[in-house]
Amino acid sequence: MAQETTDAQDSESAVELGGYRQELKRTLGSFQVFAISFAFISVAVGIFATYDEVLLTAGPVGIWLWIIAAAGQTLVALVVAQFAARIPLSGSSYQWASRLANPKIGWGFGWLTFCYLAIGVVAVDNALASQAFMPLLDMEPDEGTARLITLVVLFIQTVLAVASTRLVSLINVAAVGLELLLVVGVAIALIIAVLVTGDGAVGNLTSRGVTENATDYFAVGGGLMIAMIMGLATLVGFDSAANLAEEAKDPYRSVPRAIVGSVVAAGLLGLLFLVTLTVAIDDISRISADGSPVAAIMRVHLGPGMERVLLIAITIAFFGAGIVGMVACARLVFAMSRDARFPAHQLMRRVNSRTRTPIPATILIFVLGVVLMVALPGAALLELITASTILPAIIYGSTIVLYLAVRGRLDRRKGAFDLGRFELPVAICALVWTLVALFVLVTPGEALVSVVIVAGLLVGGGLFFLVMLTFDRQALESEPGEADAFGER
């Protein structure tokens, strides 16, 4: 009990050192914090949504690129965890850059992260509607219906996120538990089915499948490189736990552990799932041509009933990932607004005294989702969602550069997560990896529109930044709290 009291006092003092009052309620335990990061990653959802692309561009052998992506993203997570262990404030990289570099650089981090999270919520919920919920109910593909379902899902998530952070965490714990059960259970069931029926082959793991005669297979931007996107698009968002640091118990330890642990767990479970799915393919050409190969493989080996179970579990996993994205984005808006660095900041910084949640900031995410769903035509929405896969690589790469620049000034808190003498080699390797990842994402010819959209988001943020410099420069000149509050002691 004495230890818990000390940890709570230390957590409160971190917020006070930052110059803020503890407005958000600390209700998240260690596993709940882990569930937030793991739910955002949602390995089952990521594989369900991208496995078809791997089969069509690189063939079954392309799944082994998952290992490279998982190792690289783990390096990034280790660096991010170093920051999270020292500055446990809502806003994650926005706070880290603002306090260790300067508020202007911090604002840039915040804007990029806001764009990524806000788009991500819409992307996840729209995928929930079109790829899981509608097939579950045997509804014919229809963009208008999918958008309507997306709006309903966004509204439900908003109500839940406004009501209670603890309620959101309970939903995520349930979603994570179901996802873990699904991945492990399906893997075991597929192995047994293949052994009993003989429909499947270990040789699939080295097969190029339908890409056997592709001339650009090994080219820059070619099929094999494109298959890397499965891991890059899935193993992201692990830093979402850091955005809820002010609602976590003992954030100095629980948040960095959740960040690293979620990537490692997702990497291992994803590999297990991919290997068993691939071995269970009975006809590579037919499965590759199916719009939902994961469901098709399960239907062949486990029957239509198990396929529906999969769709139910995927729907719940999508919902969990979407609500985590919404909550994380709302906390970022709240964090920037209390520093007067976000549009309508006086409204967006408000925290409801009863629910202890930032209601206006949460509603903003819902409104943005409605605007994107209603205003953007199908092609534009798809390109915007695709563009959002580039943003994490930029954010993580920038975070690592920041870490390398300021690591000598970081507070070395006793008992907190610390890489010790390995921090420099890990950070350098992580930076090299993010450059590789960014190259993979922007090189394919079809990525050109996405790159232009990202550039547009940066320009839009730059224009608002100039407005702030002109009319509210003071907000970008200094940080609240004690000077060098989180520096070396």
Side-chain angles (χ1 to χ4, degrees), residues 4-25:
E4 290 181 1
T5 302
T6 301
D7 290 341
Q9 291 172 343
D10 287 346
S11 301
E12 302 299 322
S13 66
V15 177
E16 293 172 0
L17 283 173
Y20 310 117
R21 291 186 299 110
Q22 179 68 46
E23 297 181 85
L24 305 174
K25 189 174 182 180

Side-chain angles (χ1 to χ4, degrees), residues 48 124-140 145-146 148-150 152-153 156 308 310-312 314-316 318:
F48 183 83
V124 169
D125 288 349
N126 190 243
L128 181 159
S130 62
Q131 297 182 31
F133 188 74
M134 291 176 67
L136 175 64
L137 299 183
D138 296 321
M139 300 172 66
E140 291 296 322
T145 302
L148 181 60
I149 294 172
T150 300
V152 173
V153 172
I156 294 172
R308 304 195 80 79
L310 168 69
L311 290 173
I312 292 172
I314 291 294
T315 299
I316 295 173
F318 266 123

Side-chain angles (χ1 to χ4, degrees), residues 360-441:
T362 307
I363 293 176
L364 172 66
I365 313 307
F366 170 72
V367 172
L368 289 174
V370 172
V371 170
L372 292 177
M373 282 288 102
V374 173
L376 289 182
L381 179 63
L382 180 61
E383 293 293 353
L384 182 64
I385 289 172
T386 304
S388 69
T389 62
I390 299 174
L391 290 171
I394 297 175
I395 295 166
Y396 293 146
S398 301
T399 301
I400 296 166
V401 170
L402 173 68
Y403 181 78
L404 288 169
V406 304
R407 67 186 185 88
R409 296 192 285 111
L410 284 174
D411 171 27
R412 306 292 166 173
R413 182 183 178 83
K414 184 178 180 180
F417 181 87
D418 193 345
L419 291 176
R421 62 182 179 178
F422 295 105
E423 64 173 350
L424 183 58
V426 167
I428 292 174
C429 291
L431 180 59
V432 172
W433 162 250
T434 57
L435 293 175
V436 170
L438 193 57
F439 179 77
V440 169
L441 290 168

Side-chain angles (χ1 to χ4, degrees), residues 160-225:
L160 294 171
V162 161
S164 167
T165 302
R166 181 172 178 79
L167 178 59
V168 170
S169 72
L170 291 175
I171 292 171
N172 282 323
V173 167
V176 167
L178 182 61
E179 185 168 355
L180 292 172
L181 182 64
L182 169 71
V183 171
V184 176
V186 167
I188 294 173
L190 286 176
I191 291 172
I192 294 174
V194 170
L195 290 174
V196 171
T197 65
D199 293 331
V202 175
N204 291 342
L205 297 173
T206 56
S207 170
R208 284 177 51 177
V210 297
T211 70
E212 187 66 42
N213 299 315
T215 56
D216 64 343
Y217 188 78
F218 296 103
V220 173
L224 189 63
M225 181 180 288

Side-chain angles (χ1 to χ4, degrees), residues 220-414:
V220 173
L224 189 63
M225 181 180 288
I226 292 174
M228 178 77 78
I229 293 176
M230 177 170 65
L232 295 178
T234 302
L235 300 171
V236 294
F238 43 81
D239 52 322
S240 56
N243 264 322
L244 279 78
E246 291 179 35
E247 294 158 270
K249 301 173 183 177
D250 190 18
Y252 288 104
R253 286 182 280 269
S254 64
V255 173
R257 288 173 182 170
I259 290 171
V260 178
S262 61
V263 179
V264 173
L268 293 174
L269 284 170
L271 181 61
L272 171 67
F273 198 31
L274 285 169
V275 168
T276 52
L277 281 173
T278 304
V279 169
I281 296 176
D282 63 332
D283 184 330
I284 294 177
S285 296
R286 181 176 58 80
I287 294 297
S288 298
D290 195 289
S292 181
V294 176
I297 292 169
M298 293 185 63
R299 183 168 59 250
V300 168
H301 289 283
L302 307 177
M306 193 61 191
E307 179 188 5
R308 304 195 80 79
V309 170
L310 168 69
L311 290 173
I312 292 172
I314 291 294
T315 299
I316 295 173
F318 266 123
F319 187 86
I323 198 170
V324 165
M326 174 176 285
V327 170
C329 192
R331 297 317 184 265
L332 175 65
V333 171
F334 161 74
M336 296 181 71
S337 296
R338 66 182 174 184
D339 293 336
R341 296 171 190 161
F342 197 85
H345 60 85
Q346 291 181 331
L347 174 64
M348 295 299 155
R349 66 168 296 166
R350 293 181 184 174
V351 174
N352 184 272
S353 58
R354 185 176 64 83
T355 65
R356 303 282 292 275
T357 57
I359 294 180
T362 307
I363 293 176
L364 172 66
I365 313 307
F366 170 72
V367 172
L368 289 174
V370 172
V371 170
L372 292 177
M373 282 288 102
V374 173
L376 289 182
L381 179 63
L382 180 61
E383 293 293 353
L384 182 64
I385 289 172
T386 304
S388 69
T389 62
I390 299 174
L391 290 171
I394 297 175
I395 295 166
Y396 293 146
S398 301
T399 301
I400 296 166
V401 170
L402 173 68
Y403 181 78
L404 288 169
V406 304
R407 67 186 185 88
R409 296 192 285 111
L410 284 174
D411 171 27
R412 306 292 166 173
R413 182 183 178 83
K414 184 178 180 180

